[in-house]
Amino acid sequence: MKKITISDPTLRDGSHAIKHQLTAEQVSRYCAAIDKAGVPIVEVGHGNGIGASSIQVGLSGESDIKLLEAARSTLKHAKLGVHCIPGFATIKKHIKPALDLGVDIVRCACHCTEADTTRNHITFVREQGKQAFGVLMMAHMAPVDILVEEAMKMESYGAEAVIIMDSAGAFLPNRIETIISRLCDTLNVHVGYHGHNNLGMGIGNSIVAAGAGATIIDGTARCFGAGAGNTQLEILVPVLEKLGYSTGIDFYKLLDAADLAEKELLQSAPRVKSISVVSGLSGVFSGFTKHVERISKEYDVDPRDVFFKLGERGIIAGQEDMIIEEAYALHQKKTGKPL
Amino acid sequence: MPKKMNIAILGSGNIGTDLLIKVLRSPYLKCTRFIGRNLSSPGMRKASSLGVSISDQSIDALIDNPTCCELVFDATTASYHKKIAAILKKLGLKAIDMTPSQVGEMCVPSINLKDCISYPNVNMITCGGQTAIPVAFAISQAQSNIEYIEIVSSISSRSAGPGTRANIDEYVENTESGLRQMTGCQNVKAILNLNPATPCIDSQSSIFALVDSPDMDAVSESVAGMVLKMKEYVPGYEMIVPPQYENGRIAAMVKVRGLGDFLPQYAGNLDIINCAAITLAEEYAKEELEH
């Protein structure tokens, strides 16, 4: 039976949904439950990864270190992972302290065309004897040849897996099939997929990715994640098993963890709202949703227009400040005067 | 016609070559050596075509001939500058360091130009620092109670060469340290985004500050004054979103269109750090003429 490694970023991507206000207590409780279920990798931290607490994306309620300590002291079997974007996080200030407190896997992420910004970080993690994965975010924005080239760079730096991240939930299955197949043909390391639900494709795309050869699939409890939410973990696992893959996860205990997540973590269950569809169609990072809604209201402009403007400009994850620029410009255009 | 100060440029990449074109235009500076490691690089060929004396001997070109200039622009890398800073000092050469090495005194001309010329080694922080720190400084002049400042810079992927990409942590660290020093606010963060969109995006920066009940009129006036000061040496500097009080924070955005000397206009990030370095070098030259 073909083995799939499930990686669970509930306590990382989910942070977006609650404006990065996860507490150490919540992290402990969820970690205890998900560890029992046998999920092999648990990611923890700010929504944009360690070191990303900022006005730009959202200030964390509790520091990454506190959250990671809570996870570390709870997890007995699962590996502890972090997401890390160079440009937000640095080796000295964020990666080293995370490794020192016992993080096992660093997923070094960048916009899908900028793999060389992760070289130092991947190299450093490997030198410390820990695992490093490369993550190509907003992968819908680059053609497959470029994605292959960028993934090969990450492999050459020492990444033990390369994850294709559908940060905007913009992919349709046919492109996932092509991208994952090409990567699996070319790379000598694991290929992974991280899906979002904006266009209702979370589970569907993940299944296609597995079929095309991906061996690491991300999913979160109750879709807890940015915008429309992620691939739903407690659906993903049984569907994969039904298709003949082995995940090594206990189904009932997984459901228990998901129930706990709904009760303990979620303020409201993520669902595909109208604005999430717009985010997916415009190809703009799901994590922008809360910011776009708030800022559009303040500037009295249509959030849908803001999303499509950002999409036209090719705005990438991390450029949340451009929301203000576009809302300000739309407001000026509408009223003929500055605020 | 005043006597010009002789300068050398070390590093024949994008920054070094663009600096050369700006030096050739300066009434105060003369480039006597353009130094790299490879005579066939685009920068070397450009310098040669402009009739500038070139060398592929790297730092040895200066060790062998230290009297060829009084001042060196180091447009290599942070790690290389750390190695050669002491050599330049020993040779009695002033250094304007274009890398985020954190060796010399940090300079933003619109803030501390006059103070810097008493130092033999001055660091130009980073492109994002040169763009955003002036606005952060202007806010700090109008408000004394800033809790936290954050600057976010977006540049075109095409304008980020291998040096920038290999030094992204140094970029963040040096920008934050410049921000701390210039504003006096200890709690700061710098973020850098590389955007690959085509046509290439213009370089721009956002400045955020957490301030309890700010005086927005004072902030706006201070920032507007700073933008005028910036335009004196960076013609393409422009405010695109004036200071706003939004969601409990001050937010402002500026953009820089480059002069399009050696680099395309969208690379305003590279243009601004070079404009700043030229301004400083000319200040050294003027100071010398006076004494």
Side-chain angles (χ1 to χ4, degrees):
Chain A
M1 221 169 18
K2 199 181 154 200
K3 202 176 163 312
I4 297 272
T5 301
I6 296 292
S7 184
D8 175 2
T10 301
L11 298 173
R12 196 272 302 165
D13 228 345
S15 296
H16 282 290
I18 52 167
K19 297 182 179 165
H20 317 281
Q21 300 303 305
L22 273 180
T23 65
E25 184 64 38
Q26 287 173 312
V27 167
S28 290
R29 277 195 219 135
Y30 182 76
C31 281
I34 206 69
D35 204 34
K36 269 188 209 140
V39 166
I41 305 172
V42 176
E43 247 182 86
V44 177
H46 183 278
N48 273 26
I50 51 172
S53 173
S54 54
I55 293 182
Q56 176 78 343
V57 185
L59 292 164
S60 298
E62 194 119 65
S63 72
D64 292 320
I65 293 291
K66 282 243 167 67
L67 299 182
L68 289 169
E69 279 169 353
R72 183 69 286 164
S73 61
T74 312
L75 294 173
K76 293 188 172 59
H77 311 289
K79 287 184 174 170
L80 176 56
V82 292
H83 185 79
C84 160
I85 308 175
F88 278 94
T90 66
I91 292 171
K92 224 185 277 170
K93 212 165 157 187
H94 308 102
I95 297 182
K96 189 167 184 307
L99 294 180
D100 287 347
L101 73 76
V103 163
D104 306 295
I105 301 176
V106 180
R107 296 176 35 135
C108 299
C110 64
H111 184 72
C112 58
T113 54
E114 312 299 315
D116 48 7
T117 61
T118 62
R119 176 202 283 262
N120 296 343
H121 308 76
I122 290 174
T123 310
F124 176 81
V125 173
R126 292 303 306 277
E127 280 168 3
Q128 304 303 302
K130 300 294 172 73
Q131 277 187 282
F133 294 178
V135 178
L136 296 172
M137 300 190 296
M138 299 289 281
H140 70 284
M141 290 178 82
V144 62
D145 289 343
I146 300 284
L147 293 174
V148 169
E149 225 172 81
E150 297 297 301
M152 285 172 73
K153 287 184 197 165
M154 288 176 152
E155 181 181 28
S156 77
Y157 307 151
E160 291 148 285
V162 177
I163 315 292
I164 291 295
M165 191 169 268
D166 184 12
S167 315
F171 271 125
L172 299 182
N174 54 343
R175 277 199 71 205
I176 292 298
E177 164 97 51
T178 312
I179 292 165
I180 301 291
S181 306
R182 281 281 305 280
L183 289 174
C184 291
D185 287 347
T186 320
L187 301 183
N188 297 305
V189 294
H190 289 280
V191 173
Y193 177 70
H194 171 110
H196 277 263
N197 248 344
N198 301 58
L199 302 180
M201 297 291 153
I203 295 287
N205 280 344
S206 300
I207 299 307
V208 169
T215 47
I216 299 172
I217 308 280
D218 291 3
T220 68
R222 291 290 191 274
C223 306
F224 196 40
N230 295 43
T231 304
Q232 194 163 349
L233 182 61
E234 64 277 18
I235 303 176
L236 175 68
V237 170
V239 167
L240 284 171
E241 297 275 349
K242 198 167 177 179
L243 285 168
Y245 299 96
S246 150
T247 63
I249 293 170
D250 182 306
F251 178 50
Y252 278 12
K253 287 182 180 147
L254 176 67
L255 293 180
D256 292 344
D259 291 340
L260 178 133
E262 179 166 350
K263 201 165 130 255
E264 304 270 343
L265 307 179
L266 280 66
Q267 289 166 350
S268 60
R271 62 203 156 86
V272 187
K273 293 193 285 182
S274 299
I275 197 71
S276 312
V277 181
V278 174
S279 155
L281 278 183
S282 59
V284 175
F285 177 40
S286 295
F288 277 28
T289 309
K290 279 189 184 303
H291 303 279
V292 169
E293 286 177 324
R294 187 196 77 244
I295 293 168
S296 299
K297 208 171 156 192
E298 260 179 67
Y299 287 81
D300 191 27
V301 293
D302 189 327
R304 296 170 295 190
D305 292 343
V306 174
F307 259 123
F308 281 115
K309 280 277 179 197
L310 295 167
E312 277 165 30
R313 281 178 66 184
I315 294 303
I316 65 171
Q319 287 192 290
E320 279 82 344
D321 49 331
M322 302 300 165
I323 302 168
I324 302 177
E325 187 194 341
E326 284 307 333
Y328 179 79
L330 282 171
H331 175 88
Q332 272 189 312
K333 205 173 154 196
K334 189 172 146 185
T335 61
K337 58 174 194 267
L339 272 183
Chain B
M1 195 67 188
K3 186 177 166 291
K4 291 185 175 186
M5 178 186 246
N6 289 338
I7 65 94
I9 295 170
L10 188 58
S12 61
N14 284 340
I15 284 280
T17 312
D18 188 74
L19 268 174
L20 173 65
I21 294 173
K22 289 175 166 57
V23 167
L24 294 177
R25 224 171 23 224
S26 168
Y28 298 97
L29 308 171
K30 180 175 196 291
C31 182
T32 51
R33 283 289 184 292
F34 186 77
I35 306 163
R37 287 180 304 192
N38 178 0
L39 290 177
S40 61
S41 72
M44 283 293 199
R45 278 182 282 148
K46 178 81 185 171
S48 183
S49 76
L50 293 167
V52 175
S53 161
I54 60 174
S55 163
D56 63 352
Q57 294 302 302
S58 199
I59 185 71
D60 288 340
L62 295 168
I63 294 173
D64 295 343
N65 192 1
T67 55
C68 75
C69 65
E70 291 170 65
L71 182 152
V72 179
F73 289 95
D74 185 358
T76 60
T77 62
S79 57
Y80 194 70
H81 186 75
K82 284 180 196 164
K83 277 185 218 153
I84 64 161
I87 300 174
L88 295 175
K89 193 177 170 192
K90 214 168 137 194
L91 296 173
L93 298 170
K94 291 189 178 69
I96 296 183
D97 177 17
M98 310 301 293
T99 80
S101 73
Q102 303 215 7
V103 171
E105 185 69 14
M106 288 186 287
C107 176
V108 175
S110 60
I111 300 174
N112 66 345
L113 180 65
K114 298 273 181 207
D115 302 339
C116 290
I117 54 170
S118 57
Y119 294 91
N121 186 320
V122 177
N123 180 266
M124 300 316 293
I125 316 181
T126 58
C127 58
Q130 291 296 337
T131 309
I133 291 174
V135 176
F137 173 78
I139 297 173
S140 77
Q141 293 297 99
Q143 293 290 153
S144 56
N145 56 334
I146 302 179
E147 286 165 51
Y148 171 78
I149 305 180
E150 179 174 307
I151 60 184
V152 185
S153 296
S154 291
I155 61 174
S156 166
S157 296
R158 291 277 297 278
S159 74
T164 306
R165 290 161 183 278
N167 283 301
I168 203 153
D169 279 15
E170 288 82 354
Y171 168 94
V172 169
E173 285 158 8
N174 213 35
T175 307
E176 289 179 353
S177 111
L179 191 54
R180 262 185 224 109
Q181 185 193 307
M182 302 290 170
T183 63
C185 177
Q186 293 310 300
N187 194 7
V188 304
K189 185 167 180 68
I191 295 169
L192 178 65
N193 286 309
L194 305 184
N195 182 314
T198 47
C200 294
I201 62 156
D202 288 335
S203 145
Q204 64 185 72
S205 290
S206 298
I207 300 90
F208 298 110
L210 291 180
V211 182
D212 193 27
S213 40
D215 176 351
M216 288 308 290
D217 288 341
V219 167
S220 300
E221 197 190 322
S222 177
V223 170
M226 179 53 81
V227 171
L228 289 178
K229 242 175 154 178
M230 291 304 296
K231 280 181 191 288
E232 286 172 16
Y233 65 94
V234 190
Y237 195 87
E238 187 195 341
M239 173 124 268
I240 46 175
V241 179
Q244 312 274 303
Y245 193 60
E246 190 269 334
N247 199 34
R249 64 201 187 175
I250 298 174
M253 297 179 83
V254 288
K255 128 176 172 174
V256 192
R257 288 282 286 169
L259 290 166
D261 286 333
F262 181 62
L263 301 160
Q265 285 189 319
Y266 62 77
N269 47 312
L270 304 181
D271 193 66
I272 191 172
I273 192 167
N274 282 354
C275 286
I278 294 288
T279 303
L280 173 64
E282 289 183 340
E283 196 65 22
Y284 276 123
K286 287 180 211 167
E287 171 80 3
E288 229 163 68
L289 284 176
E290 281 170 22
H291 295 99

